[in-house]
Amino acid sequence: MSEHEFYMRLALDNAKAMKGQTDPNPLVGAVIVNDHRIVGVGAHLKAGGPHAEIHALRMAGELAKGGTIYVTLEPCSHHGRTGPCAEALVAAGIKKVIIATLDPNPIVAGNGVSILEKANIEVIVGVCEEESRKMNEVFNKFIVKKQPFMTLKAATTLDGKISSYTWDSKWITSEEARLDVHHLRNENTGILVGVHTVIKDDPELTTRIPNGRNPLRIILDSTLRIPLKSKVLTDQKADTWIFTSENFNHEVKRELENLGVKVFVTKGKNRVDLQDTLNILGEQNVASVLIEGGGEVNASFLNEQLVDKLVLYVAPKLIGGKQSPSFFAGEGIEKMANAIELEELEINKIGKDFRYTGYPVYS
């Protein structure tokens, strides 16, 4: 490992520790080194707060002058809720800036590097670039497309079932795997299910880990048939938004809004328009969504090519049955040549189960 990689990995570790805290902003870490000694460390903690470079500069103080800063994302160049980090680095007397990856934000995108180079600061880009890019996959999509990064999560048996034919599903996976799911929930801005899941299971859709945050609860309900006594409407543990079609029940909409629930009418005539749903969520600054729906909801998102990432927990169990639902339902794909493949597949053992993480490639 080179010296540059060593310090950049420290910056990446600091950034990753803030996962679930910064959205819709990116994860960013910074390390300042002077005379082969770390003099400042920082990470972006939350949207609206100081950026990683500012935290590191404050820690370094006068020792920043003449030093080298390692930062996981190109320093910003614009005035937002905070000032431009690139200008702060110039003012502090930094002599070299090592950057993992350029900022995909169109209002930055190379401008930060330009400010530094005009001040005769040496700039190196591309150290641990792929790791930094993957760490900020949510931000990279959201800032360019103005839509949330969509992760589909499912728990299945080895033969692909999400419940028995009697709809019994507690519990397919081990306690360790279920705890891992709560960490996933903590990392996402919202969690999405279909109304059938609410009617059948009456879930809370909350995060049950110490200091975890409860995500926004997003329900797809084409006609507004959600029971008004559902926990997601009454427990006050997190906000709940419902997306419906033009064929919604007007009286129920009024009752839901009286409960403090936001109801969004999408462009779909009789079904929720998923593309419109993503557009609305993006407009509302929802950067990431965890889909935890049943087979039909999952199929809808996969068939419309709206899933960015798949996390599949597989338990070493077999239950069989023609009537036992699978996690990918619908009519299915007609030809094997059109099957959805997963790239960058990672497989990890969690308790007795296996977690498959990959990115769908659509034909």
Side-chain angles (χ1 to χ4, degrees), residues 93-121:
I94 290 286
K95 72 172 184 179
K96 184 184 292 187
V97 179
I98 314 296
I99 301 169
T101 183
L102 296 178
D103 193 333
N105 187 344
I107 64 175
V108 180
N111 292 326
V113 168
S114 179
I115 290 172
L116 297 171
E117 290 180 334
K118 285 178 180 177
N120 295 317
I121 294 174

Side-chain angles (χ1 to χ4, degrees), residues 142-155:
F142 180 75
I143 200 65
V144 174
K145 294 189 175 182
K146 303 303 180 187
Q147 288 186 348
F149 187 90
M150 306 297 291
T151 300
L152 193 159
K153 164 261 162 185

Side-chain angles (χ1 to χ4, degrees), residues 15 21 47 83 94 98 108 125 136 141 149 167 233 243 262 276 283-284 316 327 339:
Q21 290 190 191
I94 290 286
I98 314 296
V108 180
V125 179
N136 273 319
K141 178 188 177 183
F149 187 90
W167 292 96
L233 303 181
F243 288 79
K262 284 188 178 181
D276 195 29
E283 291 168 1
Q284 299 293 319
F327 88 94

